[in-house]
Amino acid sequence: MRAALIACSLLLSALPARATDQQLFEWMALLYVSNEECLGQGYDAARVQLVAQIAAIKLGWSDDKAADEWAKAYQANHARFVEDEELFCAMAPTYLAAIGPAAAKDLGILKK
């Protein structure tokens, strides 16, 4: 447990300063769906979920609220994908740019 808390605190320090925790949570949900549905997207799904969980912790959400918000964000992003696959798949790199290359690397959300 202690190792997990240390890892979480290290990841929290890598979060981009210009992004709110809510934005980061939403971006991670988008990247998660993008990784599932869009060809050529290379995100580490487990790390994307971990970053979203850390953002939820920083937002003060309970486990149930975090799970509910993740499910809502997943459904919303999947609906956006179904509505316009090309536009949706083009959005992930834009959000990744907003996070910033250094922060994305620090967060470990890109597949190696």
Side-chain angles (χ1 to χ4, degrees):
M1 180 67 156
R2 182 183 167 139
L5 290 174
I6 292 170
C8 282
S9 64
L10 289 174
L11 279 173
L12 289 173
S13 66
L15 296 176
R18 64 181 174 262
T20 67
D21 296 318
Q22 180 69 43
Q23 287 172 317
L24 197 62
F25 184 87
E26 291 168 4
W27 292 343
M28 292 302 111
L30 182 136
L31 293 178
Y32 188 84
V33 174
S34 176
N35 193 57
E36 282 186 339
E37 301 292 353
C38 304
L39 295 176
Q41 305 285 336
Y43 307 107
D44 182 329
R47 291 293 285 203
V48 166
Q49 284 184 303
L50 178 62
V51 171
Q53 289 172 343
I54 292 168
I57 290 168
K58 288 182 68 182
L59 288 164
W61 292 349
S62 68
D63 290 344
D64 289 340
K65 177 161 176 65
D68 289 345
E69 292 298 322
W70 182 259
K72 281 191 249 178
Y74 180 90
Q75 289 170 349
N77 282 309
H78 197 272
R80 290 165 71 189
F81 169 77
V82 170
E83 184 179 308
D84 189 340
E85 292 179 26
E86 186 177 337
L87 177 63
F88 181 83
C89 290
M91 288 172 42
T94 303
Y95 283 94
L96 194 58
I99 293 168
K105 183 180 177 190
D106 290 344
L107 293 171
I109 59 176
L110 301 175
K111 284 186 181 174
K112 296 179 183 184

